[in-house]
Amino acid sequence: MAASFDQVREIFANQFEADDDGYLYRQNSKAAPIRVSARERDGFVADFNRDLRIGIWGMFAAMGAILALMLFILPLDVDSDASMVPIGAGFVMIFIVAIVSQGWAFRAPARTLTGRAAVGAARTKDEMQRRMLQKMDYRNIAGTTAALVAVAALRYHWGQPPFSGVNLFILCIIPLLLGGGAFTAWRKYRSEHVKHMDRGDRPRWS
């Protein structure tokens, strides 16, 4: 869980790209860049980390309160099925509030910088896909593909006919997973070489 929160912090911080003695802020790393100072960037990051930490502890406190209500306050003779409905609704509301509040904190720089002129154009869909692929690692692509194939293979029922029911689905999905992994690796390779191709540095075969 700590790793996932670190990833959220990293994603937020990556919206600020170093530029000379300051930073360029791109909302969701895609929108048109807005120039900010290093002090502004550090302030935005610190505020987001604080709000994220408060939100996490607030969510845990609310979940603990619901568990305490369920264990110590609700009468023991209350029908269990009926009592689980408001408890489940409470957990759902906690997660909704947590997601909304995190989104609000994530967009704080965009709200603060409203009205400040952009210094460039927004990234295109192709540019975003290229950046995403460049951040991937071939080992991660292979590992993720192998893990998904292994999970699918574990669902195979060896005592049943191969071309019926779940087994047929597994036999169909495994080639798709392998093909998806290979296609992603090819797209990454192409994204890493597309700049050279765009400059006209095409290989000569003669």
Side-chain angles (χ1 to χ4, degrees):
M1 182 175 291
S4 63
F5 292 137
D6 289 340
Q7 290 174 351
V8 172
R9 296 187 184 98
E10 182 180 358
I11 292 172
F12 179 84
N14 286 343
Q15 296 180 114
F16 298 90
E17 303 168 6
D19 180 69
D20 294 333
D21 58 345
Y23 289 86
L24 296 178
Y25 167 73
R26 290 181 182 267
Q27 186 178 4
N28 298 323
S29 297
K30 180 179 180 180
I34 299 174
R35 193 176 303 281
V36 297
S37 66
R39 183 176 180 179
E40 287 177 312
R41 180 264 183 192
D42 293 344
F44 284 131
V45 171
D47 289 346
F48 177 77
N49 291 341
R50 179 203 61 206
D51 294 342
L52 181 63
R53 185 166 54 251
I54 292 174
I56 293 170
W57 286 110
M59 181 179 68
F60 287 156
M63 292 172 64
I66 290 180
L67 291 175
L69 178 68
M70 179 175 65
L71 295 175
F72 302 110
I73 299 178
L74 289 177
L76 295 178
D77 58 350
V78 172
D79 181 75
S80 59
D81 293 336
S83 63
M84 288 303 296
V85 173
I87 291 173
F91 278 113
V92 170
M93 288 300 301
I94 289 173
F95 283 113
I96 291 176
V97 171
I99 292 172
V100 171
S101 61
Q102 180 178 312
W104 177 263
F106 200 89
R107 294 187 294 273
R111 293 194 302 273
T112 303
L113 298 172
T114 298
R116 187 177 300 190
V119 295
R123 288 193 172 106
T124 64
K125 181 180 179 180
D126 289 341
E127 288 174 330
M128 291 299 296
Q129 291 179 346
R130 188 178 305 170
R131 283 173 56 86
M132 178 189 68
L133 291 169
Q134 289 174 345
K135 291 179 180 179
M136 292 182 179
D137 183 89
Y138 287 109
R139 288 176 297 181
N140 291 337
I141 296 174
T144 301
T145 302
L148 293 174
V149 170
V151 171
L154 289 174
R155 302 298 299 175
Y156 188 86
H157 298 164
W158 296 98
Q160 296 181 5
F163 298 107
S164 64
V166 175
N167 286 354
L168 178 59
F169 174 77
I170 298 300
L171 291 176
C172 292
I173 200 67
I174 287 179
L176 292 176
L177 293 173
L178 293 173
F183 181 66
T184 301
W186 175 80
R187 290 182 63 199
K188 174 175 172 58
Y189 174 83
R190 186 174 181 275
S191 71
E192 292 173 343
H193 294 76
V194 69
K195 291 183 179 179
H196 301 287
M197 303 296 284
D198 290 343
R199 291 199 304 265
D201 300 337
R202 301 180 182 273
R204 298 179 182 273
W205 303 106
S206 59

